[in-house]
Amino acid sequence: MRELQIAKQFVDIKEMRKRSKSKKCSAGKDLHYGYKTSKTGEAYLAKDEFGEYLIPAIRQRPILLMGAPGIGKTQIMEQIARECKVGLVSYTITHHTRQSAVGLPFIKEKTFGQETFSVTEYTMSEIIASVYEKMEKTGLKEGILFIDEINCVSETLAPMMLQFLQGKTFGNQKVPEGWVIVTAGNPPEYNKSVREFDVVTLDRIKRIDVQPDFEVWKEYAYEQGIHPAVISYLELRRKNFYRMENTVDGRIFATARGWEDLSRLIQVYETLDKEVDREVVYQYIQHPLIAKDFAAYLALYNKYKTDYAVEDLLQGKWTPIILGKIRNASLDEHLSIVGLLNGKLSQLFADCYFMDAYVTKLYGYMTEYRDNLPEMTLESIYKKAENDFQTAKKSELLTKNE
């Protein structure tokens, strides 16, 4: 009960921070790339009283997220799509040939004046077809078409990409109205196959440079349930959050994507009672020194979890021996203990937050039931809740926790 009370206070503080951050953003200060992309999407989808887009499609510049690999450009799009309740179709353009992107040619007879001619037409692009399929499947008429590695296209596709960015078409098929085009690319130092955009192309896109930002990622990490050992380690070794180095043996690196994937593996290994050693860490964090350092930290982290009885500390149970151990511990141990406590508290906060969200949702249905008595029955309100859930599930807007 005591833990839930602490967690409830944290939720209140978090809501205050959210409101404060919202005001700060609206003033135009300290905007990070996810917020910029989201606001651009909202502006592109805004309509007037007649249902027309305030920014016509021809003036809706495609967004280009330019940044190093592994910093979460795809995750940004997934998060924005859920928050804005719009569809998302994602493609890596380097996986496509000219035929799949533009469509296959076929001959069609057409009459002009008194003469009939054989004219080359094209089938619908696989990418445009996927957008229509998403609309049919989810019922969402607006969305984001996300094209990754846009500046790594083959020579045969390059002219098609210019046409796509300028006219929002693949071949002779236009991107449906209400779909915002977002692209992503890597700077040339990270990819040898990068093609530099010319001024004509750059003048038709809205470029947002994406930089690794641990503070922004940390907030995301808490929301996603990233393993506390990963968060506390990176809090201590922030320079290891994102590293990309060239050596005589090739490129070595640590990325945000690598830390998130490693976190999930650690959580699964814990349920299977398996050890995460340096070799396992290196499979995800392909930087030998960082992998070795984190593996050692993780071993100590698990040792401290037992030595300092973190579960008991959070329940208000401790002994003079434990307090003496903590008092005499080194600074690194103190920081690890704080990380352990933060990790457990974050779990309690999340449990409290989701319980509060569940009760709020339930209260809404019960209020509707009360206001519509005696016509509405408990069975009908149950069916409505089930239908709402199935609708949200079909639209693919539900998160794992929801």
Side-chain angles (χ1 to χ4, degrees):
M1 189 66 187
R2 182 180 178 184
E3 293 97 325
L4 285 176
Q5 288 174 346
I6 296 172
K8 181 63 177 172
Q9 291 173 5
F10 173 84
V11 171
D12 293 339
I13 293 170
K14 188 174 180 182
E15 289 302 316
M16 288 172 64
R17 286 182 59 201
K18 269 187 179 178
R19 288 193 290 270
S20 172
K21 187 181 292 185
S22 176
K23 290 177 183 177
K24 190 175 183 181
C25 288
S26 64
K29 298 178 182 177
D30 298 329
L31 298 174
H32 62 78
Y33 49 84
Y35 182 78
K36 288 182 180 178
T37 310
S38 176
K39 288 301 166 188
T40 300
E42 286 182 27
Y44 284 176
L45 297 176
K47 298 177 182 177
D48 60 20
E49 64 271 24
F50 303 108
E52 298 293 331
Y53 290 104
L54 293 175
I55 302 177
I58 194 65
R59 297 298 173 206
Q60 293 181 8
R61 289 191 173 197
I63 301 166
L64 172 63
L65 300 178
M66 185 63 74
I71 57 178
K73 296 186 286 291
T74 303
Q75 282 80 1
I76 293 172
M77 292 302 100
E78 292 173 352
Q79 189 173 357
I80 290 173
R82 283 196 299 269
E83 290 177 358
C84 296
K85 299 190 183 303
V86 296
L88 174 66
V89 172
S90 179
Y91 269 96
T92 301
I93 198 62
T94 50
H95 297 168
H96 284 270
T97 63
R98 186 179 186 280
Q99 287 74 22
S100 63
V102 179
L104 294 172
F106 65 92
I107 303 299
K108 186 174 181 180
E109 298 292 328
K110 285 192 174 183
T111 301
F112 300 105
Q114 302 299 319
E115 294 187 61
T116 300
F117 299 90
S118 296
V119 180
T120 302
E121 295 273 359
Y122 286 87
T123 59
M124 181 177 283
S125 159
E126 180 184 323
I127 296 174
I128 299 297
S130 295
V131 173
Y132 282 107
E133 286 173 359
K134 178 69 72 171
M135 293 166 68
E136 289 291 323
K137 182 180 177 182
T138 64
L140 300 171
K141 302 304 180 186
E142 297 177 328
I144 298 168
L145 174 56
F146 179 59
I147 306 293
D148 201 4
E149 298 185 6
I150 188 74
N151 58 344
C152 296
V153 296
S154 64
E155 197 168 324
T156 56
L157 264 179
M160 301 300 104
M161 287 301 101
L162 179 58
Q163 178 194 17
F164 170 63
L165 293 173
Q166 290 179 347
K168 303 176 180 61
T169 62
F170 273 112
N172 57 357
Q173 304 291 330
K174 289 186 70 70
V175 176
E177 191 178 55
W179 280 72
V180 176
I181 298 171
V182 181
T183 64
N186 300 323
E189 60 265 30
Y190 298 107
N191 196 324
K192 294 178 181 177
S193 61
V194 162
R195 302 173 64 89
E196 292 285 355
F197 286 137
D198 56 25
V199 176
V200 175
T201 304
L202 290 173
D203 195 37
R204 286 169 169 80
I205 60 177
K206 178 172 181 174
R207 174 170 172 158
I208 300 175
D209 290 316
V210 182
Q211 301 294 334
D213 188 325
F214 175 69
E215 285 300 325
V216 172
W217 184 85
K218 184 171 69 171
E219 185 174 336
Y220 165 84
Y222 279 123
E223 291 175 355
Q224 296 298 315
I226 299 296
H227 197 283
V230 172
I231 298 175
S232 58
Y233 171 79
L234 293 176
E235 193 74 73
L236 292 170
R237 314 268 204 283
R238 294 190 173 211
K239 66 179 182 179
N240 292 342
F241 169 59
Y242 193 94
R243 296 270 289 275
M244 192 77 64
E245 300 169 8
N246 289 316
T247 69
V248 292
D249 298 320
R251 182 165 285 174
I252 56 177
F253 55 88
T255 68
R257 181 193 296 135
W259 287 115
E260 183 170 0
D261 292 345
L262 175 62
S263 162
R264 185 58 187 147
L265 184 82
I266 295 171
Q267 291 166 339
V268 173
Y269 266 41
E270 285 178 346
T271 63
L272 300 175
D273 198 26
K274 291 182 179 292
E275 180 187 0
V276 178
D277 58 20
R278 183 172 65 178
E279 290 184 1
V280 174
V281 174
Y282 183 70
Q283 294 167 8
Y284 293 84
I285 307 302
Q286 297 180 43
H287 190 297
L289 292 179
I290 297 176
K292 179 182 178 181
D293 191 43
F294 177 73
Y297 176 86
L298 183 62
L300 287 174
Y301 181 92
N302 290 327
K303 180 178 181 294
Y304 295 154
K305 190 189 299 184
T306 304
D307 289 353
Y308 294 106
V310 172
E311 297 280 350
D312 290 342
L313 286 175
L314 284 171
Q315 293 176 16
K317 302 174 186 175
W318 49 74
T319 65
I321 296 175
I322 292 294
L323 293 179
K325 275 174 136 183
I326 295 174
R327 191 175 297 113
N328 297 322
S330 65
L331 176 61
D332 279 355
E333 284 190 49
H334 281 160
L335 293 173
S336 295
I337 295 167
V338 170
L340 284 163
L341 293 171
N342 274 339
K344 186 59 183 176
L345 283 171
S346 294
Q347 182 184 335
L348 291 169
F349 298 153
D351 292 343
C352 179
Y353 176 81
F354 288 122
M355 178 58 72
D356 183 66
Y358 169 76
V359 171
T360 301
K361 192 78 172 175
L362 183 62
Y363 178 76
Y365 285 118
M366 296 310 295
T367 302
E368 185 176 354
Y369 169 68
R370 180 199 63 194
D371 294 343
N372 290 280
L373 284 172
E375 293 84 4
M376 184 170 281
T377 64
L378 284 175
E379 184 179 358
S380 61
I381 201 69
Y382 170 79
K383 286 182 178 178
K384 184 180 187 306
E386 180 66 23
N387 288 336
D388 290 347
F389 171 74
Q390 292 301 332
T391 300
K393 186 177 180 181
K394 180 183 175 184
S395 66
E396 299 179 358
L397 296 176
L398 290 177
T399 64
K400 180 181 68 174
N401 290 320
E402 288 172 330

